[in-house]
Amino acid sequence: MADRFIDVSLVKRDVHCTAKLLDDRAPITCAAVWDALPLSGDVYHAKYARNEIYALFPPFAKSEPPLENPTVTPIPGDLCYFAFAGTELGTKAYGYGADVRPGTTVVDLALFYERNNLLLNGDVGWVPGIVWGRLVDGLDEMAAACNDLWRTGAAGETLSFRRA
């Protein structure tokens, strides 16, 4: 299979980076994401994981991918996939809207932009993610935009994933 690439962007800030899908390490997850593209949603900055931005989506895979190529210590440039039951995220502590509630499943597509990340949540413990992509271009500009998002707020910003 030929290498596949996607464009990851913060739409309002007009910042783009390119990621290579890790088809050799997470083939089921890569296929699910690739088939669902394009995907865009409100961006959030992590509370617990540290240097992470992400968007939440309704489930899009025929069945949830297995935990392939897992990590609890993502590095700069990693794209991770998480699936959460609404009961895991549907509390006021997270501040999500009505789409995240008990009885739902939520898919979290995340981009890690700096070091020292640890996927440990005080409510549920370790939260391994599937590393399905790796940034190959534009990490420095994206990291600067993510830091700006952290400092000035995410309201009105969109995280977008599209085929390159």
Side-chain angles (χ1 to χ4, degrees):
M1 173 183 282
D3 289 341
R4 297 189 289 179
F5 297 89
I6 62 169
D7 175 82
V8 182
S9 63
L10 288 170
V11 176
K12 185 176 169 183
R13 287 170 171 79
D14 194 27
V15 176
H16 299 261
C17 55
T18 303
K20 177 181 181 270
L21 271 62
L22 301 178
D23 286 300
D24 58 331
R25 296 181 182 186
I28 298 168
T29 306
C30 288
V33 172
W34 185 260
D35 290 346
L37 295 176
L39 293 165
S40 295
D42 292 341
V43 69
Y44 297 92
H45 195 286
K47 283 183 170 183
Y48 301 108
R50 197 157 175 166
N51 300 299
E52 171 196 7
I53 61 168
Y54 61 96
L56 301 174
F57 303 97
F60 48 78
K62 291 178 184 168
S63 62
E64 283 307 316
L67 191 58
E68 51 185 2
N69 200 31
T71 190
V72 292
T73 55
I75 61 173
D78 278 351
L79 297 179
C80 287
Y81 178 107
F82 305 90
F84 295 104
T87 53
E88 291 175 283
L89 300 180
T91 68
K92 289 183 181 182
Y94 293 98
Y96 300 123
D99 293 340
V100 179
R101 62 188 182 286
T104 63
T105 297
V106 179
V107 172
D108 169 334
L109 295 183
L111 180 155
F112 291 84
Y113 64 89
E114 187 50 78
R115 298 180 46 207
N116 299 321
N117 303 295
L118 186 62
L119 301 179
L120 180 61
N121 179 297
D123 294 333
V124 298
W126 294 105
V127 183
I130 300 168
V131 182
W132 60 274
R134 177 95 181 115
L135 295 187
V136 294
D137 186 52
L139 175 59
D140 290 342
E141 184 178 9
M142 181 59 76
C146 292
N147 275 312
D148 178 64
L149 190 141
W150 171 250
R151 293 178 51 83
T152 64
E157 183 60 270
T158 302
L159 180 60
S160 176
F161 301 86
R162 302 190 182 283
R163 293 179 184 184

